[in-house]
Amino acid sequence: MNNLDRRGFLGLAGLVAAGAALTACAGTGGGSSTGASGTSAASGDASTINFWSNHPGKSMDLEKELISRFQAQYPDLTVNLIDGGKNYEEVSQKFNAALSGGDLPDVVVLSDVWWFNYAITGAITPLDQLFTEVGVDTGDYVDSLLADYRYEDRHFALPYARSTPLFYYNKQVWEQAGLPDRGPESWQEFDEWGPRIQQVVGDGKFAHGWGNAKDYLGWTFEGPIWTFGGGYSNEWALKFSDEKTIAAGQFLKDMIHTKKYAAVSSDIANDFAAGLIGSTIASTGDLSGISSNATFEFGTAFLPAPDGVPGCPTGGAGLAIPANISDERKRNALKFVDFITNGDNTAYFSQNTGYMPVRKSAVETADMKKYLDENPNARTAVDQLAVTRSQDYARVFVPGGDQIIGTGLERIALQNADVATTFADVQQQLQRVIDRQITPNL
């Protein structure tokens, strides 16, 4: 984006209706899946592992390297890297279609908002028995990341491209605004800083940029809502009518429409790297790209939160195995998942993407210690993991919940919509999905 205005910082393409949200495992049509070459993506051969990925963090070359390492150790197994789409949603749509009769993968990337829907309908395999059969040391996975895939005492995926949101800030802008070289300690403190930062960045730019619904606004604003004492839900009980949740939504509205120091961006990582916004909340997975593209020195910080109040969710994607493939294919698939997420390989993936290492052993290696010492922005993500909180059910367990929430927040941010009215509509949409698609399966 080169030119920005307050309403046009993002062109809102349209609101997403709950009825249009993808229903996991409903079956949206058949047809075989194809790779980049257009060939059949799955043969059913147990010695061939078909890995469907959207290459999170632009990691296609990294994934090819991990596959090469795996095949060197397991020469009797072949891994096909299949392009599942440009983002998590497209991978899920492709997987959903394959469940209706297409060729199933052996391993599929599923984000935090998709795996549960496939788990409760039996489309992906509970892995705990396979852990024993294959010899997977689950104790080496970071506890909180492994627990994110647990439902009814069973695990349905293993962590892979895992992230938290980070607070990114332009150090030059901070210095010119007379601010300390750190992130804000609370959103109330940032509200005091915002107008000062806006004076520095000037017209056509903004002190802070929020991602749009497609850029996971429902995720990046989850932590701020918690720090106000609100939330999206308490397990299955929705909280959008809670006065503290509404207060957080009003804060978002005021910083954009009243105090005019923030806006919504359709590409927060690139806009931040281009100097169009002074700060933003983006994924740890954006760290590598921002580091490569930014021409100024920037810092990363924990998301603002008062002492003792979690202000940051986990996020990202894990690796799941379909239920309707042979047991031998499942075992080989899990060997592959275990290998590419082992200590050395998750350290390699983390250093080259910005995603968090998912194994405890990874951060104890000399190579990873050296990397974190030399890259304090990457260390922020690893350190922040200790104060994260699992996400609210409304976003990650309700089919389409992320887009329903994100679209509601977009209406507030872009259209100056009334917060209480918008949140009431969001709650109504979510409750309808829960009643129709979740409750009958619980």
Side-chain angles (χ1 to χ4, degrees):
M1 299 174 57
N2 295 319
N3 299 307
L4 301 95
D5 58 64
R6 197 160 305 276
R7 291 184 180 275
F9 199 47
L10 162 72
L12 182 60
L15 303 181
V16 181
L22 173 66
T23 304
C25 310
T28 57
S32 62
S33 304
T34 58
S37 65
T39 58
S40 177
S43 66
D45 180 0
S47 65
T48 299
I49 299 167
N50 292 291
F51 174 30
W52 287 11
S53 178
N54 64 304
H55 325 298
K58 299 179 180 179
S59 60
M60 179 182 288
D61 289 340
L62 305 177
E63 291 177 330
K64 289 179 179 178
E65 170 61 22
L66 295 176
I67 289 170
S68 177
R69 295 179 183 185
F70 175 78
Q71 292 184 155
Q73 183 163 325
Y74 296 93
D76 294 334
L77 297 176
T78 299
V79 179
N80 293 327
L81 179 60
I82 309 298
D83 188 356
K86 65 183 179 182
N87 53 37
Y88 296 137
E89 287 71 27
E90 289 190 3
V91 175
S92 184
Q93 289 168 357
K94 183 174 182 177
F95 182 54
N96 191 55
L99 293 169
S100 298
D103 292 330
L104 288 170
D106 296 271
V107 177
V108 60
V109 171
L110 292 178
S111 81
D112 52 355
V113 303
W114 291 115
W115 73 267
F116 177 77
N117 305 296
Y118 294 112
I120 63 171
T121 52
I124 56 176
T125 301
L127 302 175
D128 301 80
Q129 181 176 336
L130 288 173
F131 290 155
T132 302
E133 294 177 13
V134 175
V136 176
D137 178 14
T138 57
D140 190 38
Y141 284 97
V142 175
D143 294 337
S144 59
L145 300 183
L146 180 65
D148 282 341
Y149 303 103
R150 183 177 177 180
Y151 176 66
E152 291 188 343
D153 294 325
R154 297 184 296 173
H155 295 86
F156 288 86
L158 285 172
Y160 174 52
R162 294 305 309 273
S163 60
T164 64
L166 287 179
F167 186 90
Y168 292 80
Y169 65 99
N170 185 320
K171 289 195 172 190
Q172 181 180 351
V173 168
W174 250 234
E175 182 179 3
Q176 291 175 329
L179 300 175
D181 185 10
R182 61 171 175 82
E185 295 179 353
S186 68
W187 285 107
Q188 287 73 20
E189 181 178 49
F190 186 70
D191 200 34
E192 297 173 0
W193 291 4
R196 295 166 61 182
I197 300 170
Q198 187 61 45
Q199 286 186 337
V200 170
V201 298
D203 293 340
K205 299 180 181 180
F206 293 93
H208 189 77
W210 295 98
N212 61 6
K214 291 183 179 179
D215 214 2
Y216 307 113
L217 178 57
W219 181 52
T220 56
F221 202 68
E222 190 169 28
I225 279 188
W226 292 341
T227 69
F228 275 76
Y232 296 151
S233 64
N234 179 8
E235 295 191 345
W236 296 112
L238 299 174
K239 295 185 64 176
F240 287 90
S241 61
D242 186 298
E243 62 181 12
K244 294 178 180 179
T245 305
I246 293 173
Q250 189 65 45
F251 169 77
L252 175 66
K253 179 177 179 176
D254 289 346
M255 69 192 304
I256 294 173
H257 294 285
T258 302
K259 300 184 180 181
K260 302 182 186 301
Y261 66 80
V264 169
S265 161
S266 60
D267 194 341
I268 49 176
N270 283 333
D271 285 344
F272 176 75
L276 299 177
I277 49 181
S279 63
T280 192
I281 295 178
S283 168
T284 59
D286 291 314
L287 181 57
S288 177
I290 291 174
S291 298
S292 298
N293 296 329
T295 58
F296 52 86
E297 185 180 4
F298 69 92
T300 58
F302 288 14
L303 266 62
D307 289 342
V309 178
C312 179
T314 55
L319 299 175
I321 299 172
N324 195 26
I325 61 175
S326 71
D327 290 343
E328 186 177 3
R329 285 178 68 183
K330 291 177 184 178
R331 286 190 290 268
N332 288 337
L334 186 57
K335 286 180 185 177
F336 174 69
V337 173
D338 181 43
F339 180 86
I340 67 169
T341 62
N342 69 23
D344 290 337
N345 288 327
T346 191
Y348 167 77
F349 192 77
S350 175
Q351 290 174 37
N352 286 279
T353 60
Y355 285 107
M356 292 182 295
V358 301
R359 299 272 191 143
K360 298 170 186 174
S361 59
V363 296
E364 299 302 322
T365 64
D367 184 51
M368 194 67 187
K369 286 181 177 179
K370 181 175 183 292
Y371 171 77
L372 292 176
D373 287 342
E374 294 174 351
N375 296 273
N377 285 331
R379 181 177 290 280
T380 304
V382 176
D383 292 345
Q384 186 177 227
L385 186 59
V387 293
T388 55
R389 168 177 153 181
S390 294
Q391 295 193 62
D392 293 343
Y393 285 15
R395 178 177 184 267
V396 293
F397 287 175
V398 176
D402 173 59
Q403 282 298 299
I404 293 171
I405 295 168
T407 298
L409 292 169
E410 256 190 4
R411 288 168 56 192
I412 293 166
L414 290 173
Q415 301 175 0
N416 201 16
D418 179 75
V419 176
T421 302
T422 302
F423 278 0
D425 179 56
V426 168
Q427 177 146 324
Q428 184 179 47
Q429 292 183 59
L430 291 170
Q431 191 63 58
R432 187 181 304 122
V433 178
I434 292 171
D435 293 343
R436 293 178 179 176
Q437 300 178 32
I438 298 295
T439 303
N441 291 308
L442 293 179

